[in-house]
Amino acid sequence: MVSAQSEKFWPDELPAKTRPIEFLTENGFAIRRQWECDDGPAPSAPPYHFLVRTPQGLEREIAIEVADSLIVEIN
């Protein structure tokens, strides 16, 4: 499997005021919200785009959709 490396900056490379939130998983993956990395507004509807970095440093964009019933339930 071949993965492309992103040219985007990681949070440590940005000034503190503009750093996106980075979620770290127990198995070493890092997840960031794409819209925060692009300095844009949060999406109002799916799909929601995230950047995922593997423990080896490879990065990939993923998109997810959340059921409306789930959003109502968690709000």
Side-chain angles (χ1 to χ4, degrees), residues 7-48:
E7 295 294 324
K8 302 230 180 251
F9 293 106
W10 280 97
D12 294 347
E13 300 168 340
L14 297 172
K17 187 176 180 184
T18 60
R19 287 185 191 160
I21 295 171
E22 184 175 279
F23 300 92
L24 300 175
T25 67
E26 288 184 21
N27 57 355
F29 287 78
I31 303 168
R32 293 174 296 136
R33 297 174 183 124
Q34 177 72 51
W35 58 93
E36 288 181 352
C37 297
D38 294 340
D39 224 8
S44 58
Y48 303 100

Side-chain angles (χ1 to χ4, degrees), residues 32-63:
R32 293 174 296 136
R33 297 174 183 124
Q34 177 72 51
W35 58 93
E36 288 181 352
C37 297
D38 294 340
D39 224 8
S44 58
Y48 303 100
H49 295 267
F50 296 87
L51 294 173
V52 178
R53 183 180 64 205
T54 68
Q56 295 77 26
L58 300 175
E59 183 178 86
R60 182 177 180 175
E61 182 180 330
I62 64 164

Side-chain angles (χ1 to χ4, degrees), residues 60-73:
R60 182 177 180 175
E61 182 180 330
I62 64 164
I64 65 163
E65 292 194 27
V66 179
D68 292 336
S69 59
L70 179 60
I71 293 174
V72 170
E73 188 174 319

